[in-house]
């Protein structure tokens, strides 16, 4: 299964509203898990079996709790039994579908 999740505290008391320290604590849990993962500006994706993925999500959420008075957790799951390596394979299939002639929006030349 693939799970994309975002976890962040609120009520941090920080004047700038930044949550990067709390997010770093959560991402550290994910990286230490040994499961395939990817972190972007908005979400962390993690791949594995149900119990191991949700254990990591739980521990990452717990790591954020000390940073605020409450925690927000957003989850999206792709549950596809019998498939592994989908963290990369889904992107590979997308790139293949786009084909060699696709224009990169970052480089419209």
């Amino acid at each position: 299964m693939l799970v994309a999740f975002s976890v962040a505290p609120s009520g941090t008391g920080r004047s700038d509203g930044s949550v990067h320290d709390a997010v770093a604590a959560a991402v550290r849990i994910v990286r230490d898990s040994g499961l395939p993962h990817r972190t972007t500006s908005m979400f962390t994706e993690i791949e594995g079996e149900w119990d191991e993925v949700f254990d990591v999500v739980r521990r990452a959420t717990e790591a954020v709790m000390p940073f605020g008075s409450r925690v927000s957790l957003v989850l999206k799951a792709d549950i596809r039994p019998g498939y592994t390596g989908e963290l990369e394979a889904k992107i590979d299939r997308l790139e293949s579908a786009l084909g060699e002639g696709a224009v990169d929006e970052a480089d419209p030349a």
Side-chain angles (χ1 to χ4, degrees):
M1 84 179 318
L2 294 175
V3 170
F5 77 101
S6 174
V7 60
S10 59
T12 64
R14 290 181 62 136
S15 62
D16 65 357
S18 179
V19 295
H20 65 271
D21 292 333
V23 172
V27 170
R28 198 168 293 116
I29 298 295
V30 173
R31 289 184 177 177
D32 289 347
S33 76
L35 295 175
H37 63 275
R38 174 185 300 122
T39 299
T40 65
S41 62
M42 298 283 294
F43 285 92
T44 293
E45 298 169 297
I46 187 168
E47 182 172 17
E49 296 299 319
W50 184 280
D51 289 340
E52 60 190 1
V53 168
F54 277 95
D55 176 61
V56 172
V57 171
R58 178 188 53 79
R59 290 186 292 119
T61 302
E62 290 171 349
V64 169
M65 287 179 171
F67 291 88
S69 58
R70 65 193 318 169
V71 174
S72 172
L73 174 64
V74 177
L75 293 165
K76 182 175 182 178
D78 181 0
I79 303 163
R80 195 172 185 194
Y83 286 80
T84 59
E86 289 296 290
L87 191 67
E88 298 298 329
K90 288 179 82 164
I91 299 300
D92 292 345
R93 289 190 298 272
L94 171 63
E95 292 298 333
S96 178
L98 289 170
E100 293 180 22
V103 175
D104 182 357
E105 288 186 30
D107 184 17

